[in-house]
Amino acid sequence: MKIIMLGAPGAGKGTQAIKIAEKYGIPHISTGDIFRANIKNGTELGKKAKEYMDKGALVPDELTCDLVVDRIHQDDCANGFVLDGFPRTIPQAEALDAALQKDNETMDFAIDIEVPDDNIVKRMGGRRACVNCGATYHIVSAPPKAEGVCDHCGGKLTIRDDDKPETVQKRLTVYHDQTQPLIDYYRKAGILHSVDGTQSLDDVFSEIVKVLG
Ligand code: ADP
Ligand code: AMP
């Protein structure tokens, strides 16, 4: 089962991708998490990616596509994977299709989580992420058991650098310009499924499970 999560930043892609990965026993591949891990470890890739991420811009396709193509060829992806935050541009989608085509494969599902922009801005203001494992919380809709502490690993919860209101606005503009066209791309490919992302976390997940079967 090869799945793509589509949707604006903050639509709930990561939250749902983790649940999908758990239920279907496939890896969750988040390019944002990969970049943040590289930043934390001080790698060359991390240094380059940070310049773009801090501005709310996209990391260039040259730094992103090969990384994902390598990742989906690892052994744990043999039964599929859920991509979260990739592709984000048409060239990225084409690079993914080309890589799969070499093995006579195609993506199975593109799930678009629909949330209006004003709702997104509210969500991002309340997002907290674990510095250690990347798990995501929301101070109102998905709070941790103990304030400021990750339920999974006990790590400290912080506000992501790119969740400042002005950067969120920039990321939404980038989303509408560069990522939203993917909705049509996957509609034409016949694998698009849209879900109403303004529902509760559990209701969004139930809708997704209905699609995936
Ligand atoms: P994305 O991966 O699309 O950027 P996240 O999964 O990190 O988005 O979700 C953004 C924020 O919104 C997080 O704080 C998360 O806890 C919260 N959130 C996700 N889904 C919902 C939902 N259905 N209702 C309310 N809040 C949600
Ligand atoms: P995310 O964690 O998915 O919200 O991504 C955080 C940031 O990482 C984005 O705002 C981009 O700067 C960068 N990023 C993540 N995935 C991609 C991608 N597929 N292409 C370009 N930039 C990306």
Side-chain angles (χ1 to χ4, degrees):
M1 193 180 263
K2 296 188 285 303
I3 307 163
I4 293 168
M5 304 306 291
L6 293 175
K13 300 181 295 296
T15 304
Q16 298 298 332
I18 289 169
K19 289 161 82 74
I20 294 169
E22 216 169 66
K23 180 171 171 71
Y24 296 95
I26 52 179
H28 165 217
I29 302 174
S30 154
T31 38
D33 283 353
I34 295 172
F35 290 137
R36 281 185 288 276
N38 274 273
I39 292 172
K40 196 174 159 200
N41 295 328
T43 69
E44 273 311 303
L45 173 65
K47 282 179 200 148
K48 285 184 193 154
K50 188 171 172 22
E51 281 177 40
Y52 299 92
M53 290 168 76
D54 282 352
K55 287 188 289 200
L58 293 185
V59 177
D61 292 343
E62 309 82 270
L63 295 178
T64 309
C65 292
D66 290 352
L67 182 119
V68 175
V69 169
D70 286 349
R71 179 68 188 85
I72 63 174
H73 282 104
Q74 287 173 15
D75 291 347
D76 64 334
C77 292
N79 294 324
F81 46 82
V82 50
L83 292 178
D84 160 17
F86 183 95
R88 258 182 159 100
T89 63
I90 296 280
Q92 289 183 11
E94 289 171 346
L96 175 64
D97 280 350
L100 291 171
Q101 215 168 16
K102 283 188 190 153
D103 304 322
N104 279 324
E105 289 184 14
T106 53
M107 291 304 300
D108 301 312
F109 299 96
I111 310 281
D112 179 33
I113 307 183
E114 296 179 319
V115 179
D117 284 9
D118 49 351
N119 208 319
I120 293 281
V121 174
K122 281 186 208 132
R123 276 195 193 179
M124 300 293 243
R127 173 155 68 179
R128 300 291 180 270
C130 174
V131 284
N132 186 41
C133 73
T136 298
Y137 300 85
H138 189 278
I139 50 173
V140 178
S141 60
K145 291 193 183 88
E147 198 186 320
V149 181
C150 179
D151 291 353
H152 305 293
C153 74
K156 186 169 172 264
L157 302 185
T158 57
I159 300 176
R160 264 170 53 172
D161 286 344
D162 57 352
D163 277 353
K164 290 181 295 212
E166 60 276 21
T167 316
V168 169
Q169 279 303 342
K170 164 78 179 159
R171 291 166 67 201
L172 277 172
T173 305
V174 168
Y175 167 75
H176 290 302
D177 289 349
Q178 302 193 51
T179 307
Q180 213 169 10
L182 291 175
I183 294 176
D184 255 354
Y185 182 96
Y186 289 111
R187 185 179 290 122
K188 284 183 189 137
I191 61 166
L192 181 76
H193 301 268
S194 299
V195 300
D196 173 4
T198 63
Q199 307 172 91
S200 71
L201 301 180
D202 290 342
D203 288 348
V204 176
F205 187 57
S206 302
E207 255 201 64
I208 293 175
V209 170
K210 268 189 218 147
V211 169
L212 300 178

